[in-house]
Amino acid sequence: MRFVRRAALAAIVVGALAAAVGLYGVRAWLATPLHIGSEPATVEVAPGQSLTAVAQGLAARGLLEHPRLLALYARYTGADARMRAGEYAIPPGTTPATLLQLFVSGAVVQHTVTIVEGWTFRDLRKALADQPALEATTRDLSDAQVMAQLGEEGRHPEGLFFPDTYLFGKGTRDIEVLRQSRERMRKELDAAWRARHDDLPLADEYQALILASIVERETGLAAERPRIAGVFVERLRRGMRLQTDPTVIYGLGAKFDGNLRRADLERDGPYNTYTRAGLPPTPIALPGAGSLHAAVQPEERGELFFVATGLGDGAHVFSKTLAEHEAAVRQYLIRYRQQHAPARGTGR
């Protein structure tokens, strides 16, 4: 009887020792870095994909040893049920334990798409179509269909999206980036409109958006935005035509070849601010925050005209009278001809 008891006790001790050795081995393995190399490795976890499949894929790439052990440990800790789908960057030094933490955290790789101030909606759509990490769900839709997808059926899309750099995970639908940009413009425009000057000749915030888009396209220097807005506001107050080239160019659309002709300025159309008074019917571009605020907080000096200095610095000369403006235009033309005159000795 004593012998049996001693044998049973010995078996328990041996089993305990074996378990201790095994546990120590697992712990050591969990703290051992994967074979990542010097640069991060990327792995995609598909929606619904099991951790076993992910581990086997990593093992096939030579990044992970003992994939079954990772799957068993994840099942034991519950990490397999909390793993989030997405694209992950695995940095050098990652261990099996921190890999599971990464999958559970959902800290996926962030891609970016930049929407530039002054772009048109067509430019915006092209940028989204050219971003391979986005899922293209709007590529074959018309502008009207895109707006319907955003819940704004019948709304003209121009100017309604805020220019900025947006972050997203791989596989995000392009419509979601548009939705985020649209909501951002709502907030920015609302904030600008609430901070507007009194007695502006603007009926509502949409007209402010239209004016901001014109300011965006006319401005080479950020510091001049409020002053340029002031010129347009003064013209609106006096019932003068805005006479701004960017609106005409927008109205020409794909017909514009880079050269704005006198005939274009004389041809009537809804966006021709040389032939029609007031603002055009819609924005002509995507204005940024600076232009939004300039449109509703213009720097009004009684100026009615502006023309480029011709110095290549993006600055303008502002004038209150037509005579002053014509003198500034002459000075601009002199500089332009000097800069574009053929060099002497070329035989031209």
Side-chain angles (χ1 to χ4, degrees), residues 51-68:
L51 185 57
T52 298
V54 174
Q56 289 174 344
L58 290 172
R61 293 166 57 185
L63 304 179
L64 173 70
E65 294 180 352
H66 312 302
R68 290 185 61 189

Side-chain angles (χ1 to χ4, degrees), residues 263-283:
D264 298 324
L265 302 180
E266 295 174 348
R267 187 181 301 110
D268 185 42
Y271 291 91
N272 191 334
T273 51
Y274 285 87
T275 63
R276 299 193 183 191
L279 295 164
T282 74

Side-chain angles (χ1 to χ4, degrees), residues 54-336:
V54 174
Q56 289 174 344
L58 290 172
R61 293 166 57 185
L63 304 179
L64 173 70
E65 294 180 352
H66 312 302
R68 290 185 61 189
L69 184 56
L70 182 69
L72 288 171
Y73 183 77
R75 189 178 307 164
Y76 171 74
T77 60
D80 59 342
R82 293 179 286 127
M83 183 174 65
R84 302 184 188 181
E87 179 188 22
Y88 293 90
I90 308 174
T94 298
T95 66
T98 55
L99 177 66
L100 290 178
Q101 293 173 5
L102 180 64
F103 290 159
V104 170
S105 73
V108 298
V109 174
Q110 294 292 295
H111 296 269
T112 64
V113 61
T114 298
I115 303 172
V116 178
E117 295 176 351
W119 271 5
T120 63
F121 187 59
R122 180 174 58 185
D123 297 326
L124 165 55
R125 293 198 63 182
K126 184 179 185 303
L128 296 183
D130 290 344
Q131 172 49 268
L134 283 172
E135 181 184 349
T137 63
T138 66
R139 184 172 296 168
D140 298 325
L141 300 182
S142 66
D143 288 354
Q145 289 172 321
V146 170
M147 294 307 294
Q149 290 261 332
L150 293 172
E152 298 188 70
E153 190 171 0
R155 192 84 186 271
H156 194 284
E158 199 63 78
L160 299 182
F161 301 85
F162 191 76
D164 202 349
T165 295
Y166 293 89
L167 303 177
F168 62 91
K170 186 175 182 179
T172 298
R173 298 186 305 157
D174 51 8
I175 193 69
E176 296 307 321
V177 176
L178 285 172
R179 199 182 308 279
Q180 184 179 356
S181 178
R182 176 70 186 108
E183 185 59 31
R184 178 79 182 283
M185 179 57 84
R186 279 198 188 95
K187 293 179 180 178
E188 295 285 345
L189 180 57
D190 180 66
W193 183 247
R194 284 189 279 107
R196 69 188 182 277
H197 288 174
D198 294 332
D199 302 323
L200 288 176
L202 302 172
D204 51 35
E205 63 181 26
Y206 189 65
Q207 286 198 345
L209 183 64
I210 295 173
L211 178 57
S213 74
I214 297 173
V215 171
E216 188 68 63
R217 293 294 295 168
E218 280 282 17
T219 310
L221 293 178
E224 286 190 348
R225 286 175 182 144
R227 198 169 176 183
I228 284 180
V231 170
F232 290 130
V233 165
E234 186 66 29
R235 281 179 165 260
L236 289 171
R237 289 192 193 282
R238 300 191 187 193
M240 296 175 64
R241 294 172 183 174
L242 297 185
Q243 295 183 319
T244 171
D245 293 354
T247 62
V248 180
I249 292 171
Y250 182 80
L252 291 173
K255 296 178 183 178
F256 181 62
D257 61 2
N259 184 21
L260 190 63
R261 301 170 177 82
R262 180 176 295 275
D264 298 324
L265 302 180
E266 295 174 348
R267 187 181 301 110
D268 185 42
Y271 291 91
N272 191 334
T273 51
Y274 285 87
T275 63
R276 299 193 183 191
L279 295 164
T282 74
I284 61 170
L286 307 177
S291 293
L292 288 174
H293 289 286
V296 297
Q297 298 178 14
E299 187 178 332
E300 298 184 64
R301 304 186 183 186
E303 296 163 338
L304 295 168
F305 308 93
F306 60 87
V307 66
T309 62
L311 297 174
D313 57 358
H316 294 84
V317 176
F318 295 83
S319 306
K320 294 181 179 180
T321 69
L322 181 59
E324 292 174 348
H325 177 61
E326 289 176 340
V329 171
R330 285 194 295 271
Q331 187 63 39
Y332 166 77
L333 291 175
I334 289 172
R335 290 188 178 127
Y336 180 85

